Amino acid sequence: MTDAVKRDRGLLKIDDQECKGCGLCVEACPPRVIALGEHLNHYGYRTAVYAGTGCTGCGICFMACPEPGAITVMRAVANRAAAAAIMSTGQEGSPSCASN
Amino acid sequence: MSSEQFSEYTVVHGRAKSFYERYDRKPELQHQTHFCPGCGHGIVHKLLARAIDELGIQDRTILVGPVGCSVFTYYYFDVGNVQAAHGRCPAVATAMKRSRPAGIVIGYQGDGDLSAIGSAEILHAANRGENITIIFVNNAIYSMTGGQAAPTTLLGQTSTTTPEGRSATTEGYPLHVSELLATLQGPVYIERVGLGDNKQIAQANRAIHRAVENQVKGLGFSLIEVLSPCPTIWKMSAVDSQHWVRDVMEKTYPLGVFCDRTKEAQPRRLPPEPPSLEAIPAILDIVNDDSAEASSAANKATKPIDLHVRVAGFGGQGVLLLGEVLAEAGLEAGLEVSWLPSYGPEMRSGTSNCHVRLSDETIDSPLVTAPNILVAMNEPSLRKFDKSVRPGGWIIYNGETFPTDCVRNDVHVLALPFTQIAHELGSARAGNMVMLGALLEVANGLPQSSIDAALRRLVRNTKWFELDELALSRGRELFRESFQEV
Ligand SMILES: Cc1ncc(C[n+]2csc(CCOP(=O)(O)OP(=O)(O)O)c2C)c(N)n1
């Protein structure tokens, strides 16, 4: 990654074995960066996929998702030391409440 | 995505610590819940797990799961788990909280579970203001069993049991549980939230956190009703069912706080410590085995005994007490005993009778269908049971003269005006004890000391105890007098 590319504030990880493709996260995502994928997973679901850019790390998709760990939301940190500090204190606040 | 890229990000929302990493369910499915895609239960589980994490109470949380789609809370939540019978969650949670006051007891219930079969339990737990938290997931239907109407089903909503739509005429109106419970004085916090859109979910998150926190602070009963989508039974997509919660369900069930006494609520005092197990026999006045042994040595029956006694009379004549004293004396004497009362719903003036068995051997049945002693306290009772007395048995009859048509040449009869005799001793109500005195002469084998001990246990009032003792010995005398003459 170079300085020229603007880094996203957030990043999404979707577990395509836990996701059941209900689509609630797609509906919930304020910047609309989640879609249902084209291919079926092992259980026959079209699971959610992240567009790859545009995530703000708001966490709203996480709250809308019925599965405990299908979505993991990450947020960019200024540097590695700060990242380590956040990791050691656990999760950071509640998601902001932008409406869809 | 390269690992380098991830190292510049940190997890802000991921699986709650209060969930297991893998679920102890069907081998192939241990990494996902059993809920249908888009099920509201999954979201409520998540909000609850989050609250438990945030409040740092995972190691002292006890979750009471319901019967319904969310029956498997114990698969997912890494906390203490108990699964209650259908609708009984508030009763089980009450017991949990009272016996483990430091535990955080959270009940999780569906609308069928809570508002139909469990309507009594929730009402009384709320009214008692039990210091528990109830998460009430209202999806307006019985989902697990395939979509029957619930008390919460909307007017006009179709279900397998209301195929034409719920009608107020035949099924009544949707039950507003939160509003109903908010009329009680017991609850501290009641709020209805929804899962109809992002804003609603965020509010649900705050409400659930608050309801658990209230308990952590010891404030009392909190309930959060969550309007929750059921895409499968409603036959809608996950997204449409989410919208249905917001656009349709919410019209019948407005969101909001229905009761909030958190400001004025004082932390509830802990219930008094229950007595220790060792103290219970004394509280119930049960002699422990060692001393029972000791007393029975003194009170031991002096000869083999096999009594089949039927006592019958009007309610209020002391029928049951007579039987009880006899059975209790048998216990004192180390015999096998049974005492079986049988009476109508009337407290007074109805007929009443009891079956008493005393034996050296194990008793096969407490029913006495063929007594060897019948105590008949009035004529109707005599006529009801006289034929059932075994040949060679006894009838002790409360009456000056024995009805001639009841005379049998194969049974012994003692007929005396026992009530009148007791009246002369001090009270007509001691007639039963005069009759018991006579019976003890017939049975002959129970030591007086066992009778005294039984009477002392059952008749606490000294005045009555003394009168009853007098009546017993008068009964014994009368028997002896009567049969010396024979
Ligand atoms: C004593 C008893 N009666 C009936 C049932 C059948 N039963 C199982 S789940 C259920 C309804 C559950 O509905 P609800 O509480 O709304 O939960 P949901 O499945 O909708 O989440 C019923 C009636 C049972 N298991 N036990």
Side-chain angles (χ1 to χ4, degrees):
Chain A
M1 200 180 286
T2 66
D3 287 343
V5 181
K6 193 174 175 299
R7 228 171 32 151
D8 283 326
R9 267 189 289 150
L11 192 61
L12 272 191
K13 210 168 75 171
I14 295 166
D15 178 342
D16 82 334
Q17 293 307 297
E18 186 168 348
C19 173
K20 290 170 178 163
C22 70
L24 289 177
C25 58
V26 177
E27 177 78 4
C29 174
R32 302 223 154 262
V33 294
I34 312 175
L36 289 188
E38 285 309 318
H39 78 273
L40 305 181
N41 77 354
H42 177 63
Y43 300 101
Y45 295 127
R46 279 180 64 198
T47 58
V49 289
Y50 174 41
T53 53
C55 176
T56 63
C58 70
I60 288 176
C61 59
F62 175 83
M63 300 294 276
C65 170
E67 287 292 316
I71 297 180
T72 307
V73 182
M74 287 171 275
R75 227 174 262 170
V77 284
N79 56 49
R80 277 173 207 183
I86 292 181
M87 286 303 237
S88 67
T89 56
Q91 295 179 358
E92 199 192 58
S94 288
S96 57
C97 188
S99 63
N100 54 354
Chain B
M1 210 140 298
S2 73
S3 59
E4 167 151 7
Q5 214 175 342
F6 272 113
S7 71
E8 292 162 2
Y9 288 86
T10 182
V11 173
V12 283
H13 301 288
R15 175 193 299 277
K17 285 206 311 293
S18 303
F19 281 128
Y20 287 111
E21 280 287 333
R22 293 187 76 75
Y23 318 125
D24 195 9
R25 55 186 296 248
K26 295 188 185 84
E28 234 224 316
L29 299 167
Q30 298 192 341
H31 60 284
Q32 55 175 234
T33 65
H34 71 289
F35 294 120
C36 307
C39 175
H41 279 303
I43 299 173
V44 178
H45 276 36
K46 231 164 144 174
L47 302 182
L48 183 57
R50 204 178 158 86
I52 296 171
D53 278 9
E54 286 165 356
L55 292 163
I57 51 168
Q58 183 183 6
D59 60 356
R60 58 186 181 117
T61 294
I62 304 170
L63 190 56
V64 182
V67 165
C69 281
S70 51
V71 64
F72 295 130
T73 48
Y74 52 83
Y75 277 167
Y76 309 120
F77 286 90
D78 185 6
V79 299
N81 283 284
V82 178
Q83 208 267 312
H86 206 9
R88 297 340 181 214
C89 165
V92 174
T94 297
M96 291 285 148
K97 185 67 185 181
R98 290 193 180 192
S99 52
R100 292 270 180 278
I104 301 301
V105 181
I106 302 170
Y108 188 110
Q109 300 191 262
D111 51 318
D113 192 74
L114 181 144
S115 74
I117 193 168
S119 51
E121 279 74 12
I122 191 64
L123 190 68
H124 295 294
N127 194 41
R128 293 191 304 269
E130 291 297 340
N131 189 17
I132 57 177
T133 306
I134 300 286
I135 308 297
F136 167 38
V137 180
N138 179 359
N139 55 19
I141 202 94
Y142 287 9
S143 298
M144 187 204 228
T145 45
Q148 296 79 5
T152 45
T153 296
L154 307 190
L155 287 178
Q157 187 182 345
T158 54
S159 71
T160 60
T161 47
T162 56
E164 306 289 327
R166 180 179 190 164
S167 142
T169 318
T170 42
E171 287 89 41
Y173 294 89
L175 199 64
H176 290 73
V177 171
S178 291
E179 287 87 337
L180 189 71
L181 296 182
T183 64
L184 304 174
Q185 286 167 275
V188 162
Y189 193 78
I190 295 179
E191 179 174 353
R192 183 185 289 121
V193 295
L195 303 179
D197 59 29
N198 292 347
K199 261 202 183 118
Q200 291 192 357
I201 294 173
Q203 181 57 27
N205 180 42
R206 284 190 286 271
I208 289 174
H209 180 103
R210 182 154 187 207
V212 181
E213 192 177 27
N214 287 343
Q215 185 183 163
V216 173
K217 290 180 178 162
L219 299 185
F221 183 91
S222 302
L223 177 141
I224 304 299
E225 173 174 350
V226 187
L227 305 184
S228 175
C230 176
T232 301
I233 299 293
W234 295 355
K235 302 188 178 68
M236 294 178 198
S237 74
V239 171
D240 287 348
S241 62
Q242 187 182 50
H243 292 166
W244 201 77
V245 167
R246 187 191 55 198
D247 301 336
V248 180
M249 249 186 121
E250 199 195 322
K251 295 213 162 56
T252 297
Y253 297 113
L255 308 188
V257 177
F258 293 93
C259 154
D260 182 359
R261 299 195 179 93
T262 48
K263 292 233 165 49
E264 59 269 30
Q266 298 294 320
R268 286 163 62 88
R269 268 181 299 144
L270 293 183
E273 278 284 309
S276 70
L277 218 49
E278 297 73 48
I280 288 174
I283 293 168
L284 298 178
D285 203 12
I286 298 168
V287 200
N288 73 34
D289 279 343
D290 296 350
S291 57
E293 257 351 38
S295 80
S296 68
N299 297 344
K300 204 98 204 129
T302 51
K303 58 180 208 187
I305 285 187
D306 186 26
L307 292 185
H308 300 243
V309 181
R310 193 77 178 251
V311 189
F314 284 137
Q317 280 189 308
V319 170
L320 303 186
L321 182 64
L322 190 166
E324 231 180 325
V325 173
L326 181 60
E328 194 77 32
L331 265 187
E332 279 291 327
L335 298 169
E336 301 283 328
V337 307
S338 68
W339 172 76
L340 186 73
S342 156
Y343 45 85
E346 313 89 340
M347 286 298 278
R348 292 284 135 116
S349 81
T351 59
S352 116
N353 73 80
C354 67
H355 311 236
V356 183
R357 292 282 323 267
L358 272 72
S359 176
D360 307 292
E361 311 279 325
T362 304
I363 291 168
D364 48 5
S365 163
L367 289 177
V368 176
T369 44
N372 50 22
I373 303 178
L374 170 66
V375 179
M377 294 205 178
N378 55 38
E379 194 177 329
S381 300
L382 172 72
R383 292 188 180 280
K384 190 163 173 195
F385 295 111
D386 64 337
K387 309 280 181 301
S388 67
V389 178
R390 292 174 193 211
W394 280 85
I395 297 176
I396 301 172
Y397 176 61
N398 183 22
E400 205 141 4
T401 51
F402 196 74
T404 45
D405 56 324
C406 290
V407 173
R408 280 168 56 179
N409 55 18
D410 59 348
V411 298
H412 311 276
V413 170
L414 174 65
L416 289 169
F418 289 103
T419 306
Q420 181 59 30
I421 294 164
H423 174 71
E424 285 156 16
L425 289 177
S427 168
R429 284 172 61 191
N432 59 344
M433 291 298 144
V434 186
M435 296 186 88
L436 176 60
L439 184 153
L440 290 169
E441 285 296 302
V442 175
N444 183 23
L446 281 175
Q448 182 61 37
S449 58
S450 71
I451 316 283
D452 295 341
L455 200 62
R456 202 167 296 118
R457 188 165 305 149
L458 292 167
V459 182
R460 302 278 176 163
N461 179 303
T462 329
K463 189 186 125 226
W464 280 107
F465 175 78
E466 282 165 8
L467 180 60
D468 285 348
E469 282 282 3
L470 192 67
L472 280 169
S473 56
R474 184 78 188 110
R476 286 184 187 272
E477 262 167 44
L478 286 167
F479 178 88
R480 285 190 219 118
E481 285 165 15
S482 306
F483 289 93
Q484 263 161 21
E485 288 161 19
V486 175

